[in-house]
Amino acid sequence: MDLFATISAAAVSSYALLSTIYKSLQALYSQPAMSPAPRDIRGSADMLLPTVDVIVPCFNEDPNTLVECLESIARQDYAGKLQVYVVDDGSANCDVVAPVHQLFASDPRFNIILLARNVGKRKAQIAAIRSSSGDLVLNVDSDTILAADVVTKLVLKMHDQAVGAAMGQLIASNRDQTWLTRLIDMEYWLACNEERAAQARFGAVMCCCGPCAMYRRSALNLLLDQYEAQFFRGKPSDFGEDRHLTILMLKAGFRTEYVPDAIAATVVPHSLRPYLRQQLRWARSTFRDTFLALRLLPELDGYLTLDVIGQNLGPILLAISSLAALAQLLIGGSIPWWTGLTIAAMTMVRCSVAAVRARELRFVGFAFHTPINIFLLLPLKAYALCTLSNSDWLSRKVTDVPEADEAQRVLSHLNTGRGAASARVSRAPLQKAGVAHRPSSLVTMKSAPGHDHSTVLK
């Protein structure tokens, strides 16, 4: 056996051993723990419910997508006080989304904040946080649709004062669009119901994902300056806000949790180019916060150390094995059977276990994610590590903005009946997850004077 074959075999064997231990414990800890059934707070008259502020930052969002997001918030069945802050972060398509702003501004629960220029998602969130006063803050991405009971379910988890943040389960609203969206939907299921669920067993979800995450305001008040002033190599760090804020919560001593039955459907990339852009941004964010996360490990359960090792050392071993196997094939002229068979066997075991746990045969098809991971995502992560100082969001450019004449079509769409029109799109993915929306009603707009560098409609 030549040098490349030896390196490849050793690396893939180490990868198999590490992954087997890590994934076995992850599968064990991700199983629901036995606990008393949570109290149903819907319509409770004898319980003082916390006030909730929902913050929706948006930039160059498609107007129909934004309508579906805001409708799902308007339909929440939460019995307590709910206020919504829609922050338009200096979008270039302001004329197109103006009818949406006007329509929802008529609802007394909705506050529309129009920033004069683009300041980034993090600062847009902070502007709304500082303009609001609710006990709890729910961050929602503008391309996300919430099930009607999401706020209620997350508030139940936040009843424990030790919990600083909680996230819901994410699914892909456009799952059936392409082969890639199907893979991403399965990837989300695994990330939520294996990785986050296992971390939540120890009260330390390492990233409460941006599309649907609730925070305790008293905790936010302690961390807001740190959150706003994150720098990397002397430059402001504007992305990865969800991971960074989660780690700050853990660092401050708060628990972070996962609520699997709080379902949120979000739009995912339907083609490789935007998907790889997203993954590059996420990889840079993960690397930037890795050292901050490492400092937390001595205070957390030992499983969390294994979790960090598995997520960081595992890909390195897989990359070494793949590169050595490729060199063995191209230079040595021999086929790396051991490496190929080991990776294939581990892939099929993982997909089969996921199919059994999810009770869906489609998870066997997640095997197609392995070549994408090896040939695209691993090189992408290496590139991300070499370009950590780059803070470009790589998405929602001005060139992505709809044409101006789209405004009239959107306004016509809204006037014909908002609830019925969007239900055809938004209800399907949530029903697949076992959740249904209820219809809602709507009226027109009234405005209030602007202040500072933004305009507010109430």
Side-chain angles (χ1 to χ4, degrees), residues 11 18 34 39 72 95 104 116 189 193 195 197 200 205 232 273 296-297 312 329 342 355 368 396 401 405 414 429 440:
L18 174 62
M34 297 298 294
R39 181 180 178 183
S72 72
D95 291 339
F104 282 90
W189 190 94
N193 295 293
E195 179 186 319
V205 172
F232 184 79
R273 187 175 180 182
L296 294 170
L297 294 181
N312 290 277
L329 178 62
T342 301
F368 289 105
R396 298 271 170 90
V401 177
D405 59 5
L414 293 173
S440 64

Side-chain angles (χ1 to χ4, degrees), residues 274-293:
Y275 174 66
L276 294 178
R277 284 178 172 177
Q278 179 195 66
Q279 294 298 308
L280 176 58
R281 189 174 71 248
W282 288 0
R284 285 172 178 157
S285 165
T286 301
F287 286 133
R288 288 184 181 189
D289 281 310
T290 292
F291 290 110
L292 184 59

Side-chain angles (χ1 to χ4, degrees), residues 102-378:
Q102 293 171 357
L103 194 58
F104 282 90
S106 66
D107 189 325
R109 298 172 299 173
F110 279 75
N111 306 271
I112 312 298
I113 302 175
L114 307 177
L115 301 183
R117 60 183 180 87
N118 179 244
V119 296
K121 180 179 178 180
R122 186 179 305 204
K123 287 184 172 57
Q125 285 179 340
I126 291 171
I129 292 172
R130 287 181 169 151
S131 299
S132 58
S133 59
D135 301 316
L136 303 173
V137 174
L138 175 62
N139 285 337
V140 177
D141 281 354
S142 57
D143 59 0
T144 300
I145 303 165
L146 304 182
D149 58 357
V150 162
V151 171
T152 298
K153 297 267 177 77
L154 292 176
V155 167
L156 278 170
K157 180 63 69 173
M158 300 295 289
H159 181 69
D160 183 350
Q161 296 297 313
V163 176
M167 65 167 284
Q169 180 177 177
L170 303 182
I171 63 175
S173 59
N174 56 334
R175 182 180 98 179
D176 297 328
Q177 187 173 1
T178 66
W179 63 271
L180 181 60
T181 58
R182 292 182 176 89
L183 281 180
I184 295 174
D185 182 68
M186 289 185 276
E187 186 178 17
Y188 278 18
W189 190 94
L190 293 167
C192 289
N193 295 293
E194 288 189 351
E195 179 186 319
R196 265 59 168 196
Q199 293 170 351
R201 179 67 70 94
F202 307 99
V205 172
M206 302 302 285
C207 179
C208 289
C209 298
C212 179
M214 181 173 282
Y215 300 91
R216 188 175 306 281
R217 181 175 294 277
S218 57
L220 279 178
N221 289 339
L222 297 174
L223 304 171
L224 207 55
D225 289 341
Q226 295 180 62
Y227 177 54
E228 184 175 17
Q230 184 188 6
F231 285 84
F232 184 79
R233 293 178 180 173
K235 298 180 181 179
S237 185
D238 293 328
F239 52 62
E241 68 289 331
D242 47 3
R243 180 177 295 275
H244 186 64
L245 185 53
T246 304
I247 292 176
L248 288 178
M249 284 284 175
L250 290 169
K251 186 179 176 183
F254 292 97
R255 293 171 60 89
T256 55
E257 296 284 355
Y258 167 59
V259 184
D261 53 351
I263 310 294
T266 189
V267 177
V268 301
H270 65 275
S271 59
L272 275 175
R273 187 175 180 182
Y275 174 66
L276 294 178
R277 284 178 172 177
Q278 179 195 66
Q279 294 298 308
L280 176 58
R281 189 174 71 248
W282 288 0
R284 285 172 178 157
S285 165
T286 301
F287 286 133
R288 288 184 181 189
D289 281 310
T290 292
F291 290 110
L292 184 59
L294 289 176
R295 298 173 194 170
L296 294 170
L297 294 181
E299 305 170 11
L300 302 175
D301 188 89
Y303 168 78
L304 278 306
T305 299
L306 176 63
D307 183 82
V308 171
I309 292 173
Q311 290 193 47
N312 290 277
L313 181 58
I316 293 174
L317 292 172
L318 182 59
I320 293 172
S321 174
S322 301
L323 287 173
L326 184 61
Q328 177 187 347
L329 178 62
L330 297 179
I331 299 175
S334 59
I335 299 175
W337 291 108
W338 176 252
T339 299
L341 290 174
T342 301
I343 293 175
M346 293 192 64
T347 297
M348 292 314 300
V349 169
R350 186 190 182 196
C351 293
S352 299
V353 171
V356 171
R357 289 198 59 208
R359 297 183 180 139
E360 294 186 54
L361 190 59
R362 67 187 177 101
F363 277 84
V364 174
F366 193 68
F368 289 105
H369 188 269
T370 296
I372 293 176
N373 184 37
I374 293 175
F375 296 111
L376 292 178
L377 298 185
L378 288 179

Side-chain angles (χ1 to χ4, degrees), residues 33-96:
M34 297 298 294
S35 59
R39 181 180 178 183
D40 189 351
I41 63 174
R42 287 173 292 190
S44 298
D46 59 338
M47 184 176 180
L48 182 61
L49 299 178
T51 56
V52 177
D53 293 327
V54 183
I55 295 177
V56 186
C58 48
F59 177 65
N60 291 348
E61 186 60 84
D62 177 85
N64 292 311
T65 301
L66 182 58
V67 165
E68 292 157 12
C69 171
L70 300 184
E71 274 194 322
S72 72
I73 298 172
R75 283 194 296 265
Q76 290 299 302
D77 62 4
Y78 183 57
K81 182 181 179 181
L82 189 74
Q83 287 291 310
V84 185
Y85 295 82
V86 182
V87 189
D88 188 279
D89 187 21
S91 296
N93 66 339
C94 55
D95 291 339
V96 178

Side-chain angles (χ1 to χ4, degrees), residues 393-426:
W393 263 73
L394 302 170
S395 63
R396 298 271 170 90
K397 303 291 186 182
V398 174
T399 53
D400 297 329
V401 177
E403 297 294 332
D405 59 5
E406 177 77 355
Q408 187 60 42
R409 187 183 71 80
V410 173
L411 184 57
S412 175
H413 165 80
L414 293 173
N415 288 337
T416 57
R418 181 182 91 177
S422 71
R424 293 191 297 268
V425 180
S426 63

